[in-house]
Amino acid sequence: MIEYGHFIGGKRVAGTSGRKQDVMQPMDGAVRGTVALASQAELRAAVENAKAAQPTWAATNPQRRVRVLMKFLELVQRDYDELADILAREHGKTIADARGDIQRGLEVVEVCIGAPHMMKGEFTDGAGPGIDVYSMRQPLGVVAGITPFNFPAMIPLWKIAPAIACGNAFILKPSERDPGVPIRIAELFIEAGLPAGILNVVNGDKEVVDAILDDPDIKAIGFVGSTPIAHYIYSRGTASGKRVQCFGGAKNHMIIMPDADMDQTVDALIGAGYGSAGERCMAISVAVPVGNDTANRLMEKLVPRVESLKVGPSTDSSADFGPLVTAQALERVKGYVDIGVKEGAKLVVDGRGFKMQGYENGYYMGGCLFDNVTADMRIYKEEIFGPVLSVVRAPRYEDAIKLANDHEMGNGVAIFTRDGDAARDFASRVQVGMVGINVPIPVPIAYYTFGGWKASSFGDLNQHGPDAFRFYTKTKTVTSRWPSGIKDGAEFVIPTMN
Ligand code: NAD
């Protein structure tokens, strides 16, 4: 039994609140350990630690700071197998997919090695007589991240790396469902040379999240999770004057045009719909074939593929996807399938009864596929976050784009077509933050930014890429004048550059 506490002041510490919860192993339903749930006092200890360490770190020159990131990248390569194993065991995704989770995080760390360049300010020589103007980016101080269960390596790294590269101290509140990898990440950063106190991990639930939201020394919060919590965190965090960015849920559509290469489309759809048991914010959960003929051709190829999906334990390298994260998640997703049937959608493939032989206590279900889903159904409107794909038949292209535009969520979207003009029109008009053209999961590469629109995001800067350096720094603009010896006397009119 593993006992996860917190990581404060450069080392693992036990929880002192007296509250804890079980950490499960979804592939067999075993209790893997416990995780401490922090109190407000434990958060304060982390903040005090971070506050004390941050000024020296901020004063360390930026190239020296990013050398810690370089060393961290090396250490993760050494421990990759161990990290992927912990991740797969606590999340439930396959080991191959867990490796991808880590890799997409490392790619952001790589880009953050460019922090010295990204933090450079602007300079105008001679903005007025004897006047130079320049701006600089300075760290905010102590900042925090609150992250979801579904990418326990990638999303913490998307936040930690830019925050600390910019000279901040960081407090991570990872998901209480899979805390193992975030703690190891903190340990590896210390081994890589990060001073104690610059990265703290505080485990917990709503109690510690609320303490983060109200703590006067925490200057910014980056959140990723479901939309209702994103909205809550944004409202309460900004009300207390913090800089807050919150990324929420999704309902990602894939529009399939009549001219799409159907084999390529089905390959893309099956991976994007069912990979990681559909527990990805960029998973495709709605397929929108345009025209009945397209829909029929799609279903003909898709149905046998969904029927033959291989579900297996996280450690089975031949599995397409593993179990869901918790017993509650499994019940919730099966409940949505029941709702879809009641609402009148046609359940073409039913994975509710799937049992994994030898792993009867694991949280498994097979892939489910609905046809004839309509926009008024709950299974269309709400995020299911499981291996359930809905097919909504659209008579025309305009109906398809309208579906994506009218949906409350706007995280990702894709169009599959051979027609460049249709693709161009779609990319220009669709009201969604991340668009794929014949690419099913258009998670932008690390040096671009990641963020949805509408109810998928609150705040005005995206994650990673150039926005991350803006989010984790504040701009100071200096107007300087070195008099030439001629004194002008007092000036009572606002200075202009006329
Ligand atoms: P979640 O909202 O339940 O939890 C996210 C974080 O908030 C966790 O750290 C959790 O401890 C905390 N939290 C949960 N309930 C809280 C409450 N009542 N008050 C305060 N804090 C609370 O999300 P999850 O189930 O861990 O993750 C899945 C969700 O995250 C999905 O909706 C998915 O779409 C979304 N997600 C979005 C993105 C994105 O970039 N837009 C990326 C990954 C996941």
Side-chain angles (χ1 to χ4, degrees), residues 36-275:
L37 305 174
S39 63
Q40 192 183 357
E42 287 169 298
L43 173 74
R44 256 332 282 176
V47 174
E48 288 297 342
N49 229 285
K51 224 176 125 178
Q54 192 266 337
T56 310
W57 177 242
T60 305
N61 85 52
Q63 273 183 287
R64 290 183 68 179
R65 288 202 301 260
V66 299
R67 278 182 203 133
V68 173
L69 273 61
M70 293 183 203
K71 183 68 188 169
F72 171 81
L73 288 170
E74 218 179 284
L75 296 176
V76 173
Q77 293 307 323
R78 183 195 69 193
D79 292 350
Y80 221 123
D81 291 342
E82 178 212 345
L83 290 165
D85 184 75
I86 300 171
L87 201 160
R89 283 177 190 280
E90 293 183 6
H91 176 285
K93 64 177 78 176
T94 62
I95 289 192
D97 203 27
R99 296 182 75 87
D101 185 330
I102 297 165
Q103 179 58 26
R104 288 304 294 243
L106 296 184
E107 288 170 12
V108 169
V109 181
E110 287 166 359
V111 169
C112 291
I113 288 167
H117 171 70
M118 297 306 290
M119 287 181 74
K120 282 190 310 199
E122 303 146 307
F123 185 86
T124 300
D125 174 30
I131 295 176
D132 302 327
V133 179
Y134 60 95
S135 66
M136 46 184 162
R137 295 194 169 279
Q138 296 190 323
L140 303 175
V142 180
V143 299
I146 301 162
T147 54
F149 82 85
N150 70 325
F151 281 99
M154 179 183 87
I155 295 176
L157 287 173
W158 283 8
K159 305 202 172 297
I160 295 167
I164 66 175
C166 289
N168 299 286
F170 193 84
I171 295 178
L172 175 69
K173 204 306 279 175
S175 172
E176 60 275 41
R177 286 179 256 176
D178 43 16
V181 169
I183 291 249
R184 281 295 291 134
I185 286 175
E187 267 176 346
L188 290 174
F189 266 115
I190 294 294
E191 191 183 338
L194 190 71
I198 296 303
L199 174 56
N200 298 291
V201 181
V202 179
N203 281 308
D205 55 8
K206 181 172 166 52
E207 184 172 328
V208 73
V209 170
D210 286 347
I212 290 172
L213 291 171
D214 298 340
D215 193 292
D217 288 321
I218 294 178
K219 303 298 176 200
I221 298 174
F223 170 88
V224 179
S226 58
T227 287
I229 310 296
H231 188 234
Y232 167 71
I233 300 230
Y234 187 74
S235 312
R236 186 155 164 178
T238 49
S240 60
K242 299 186 196 313
R243 187 178 288 196
V244 188
Q245 58 172 195
C246 294
F247 301 92
K251 197 79 181 177
N252 306 316
H253 295 50
M254 183 200 273
I255 314 299
I256 300 148
M257 297 296 285
D259 64 354
D261 176 328
M262 204 49 86
D263 289 316
Q264 189 205 357
T265 303
V266 170
D267 269 341
L269 185 53
I270 196 103
Y274 298 95

Side-chain angles (χ1 to χ4, degrees), residues 361-390:
N361 294 327
Y363 315 133
Y364 298 92
M365 69 180 281
C368 294
L369 178 65
F370 277 113
D371 197 359
N372 298 329
V373 175
T374 54
D376 55 335
M377 294 180 182
R378 275 186 65 194
I379 57 162
Y380 174 75
K381 290 196 270 198
E382 296 171 22
E383 183 179 42
I384 298 176
F385 223 55
V388 182
L389 180 65
S390 294

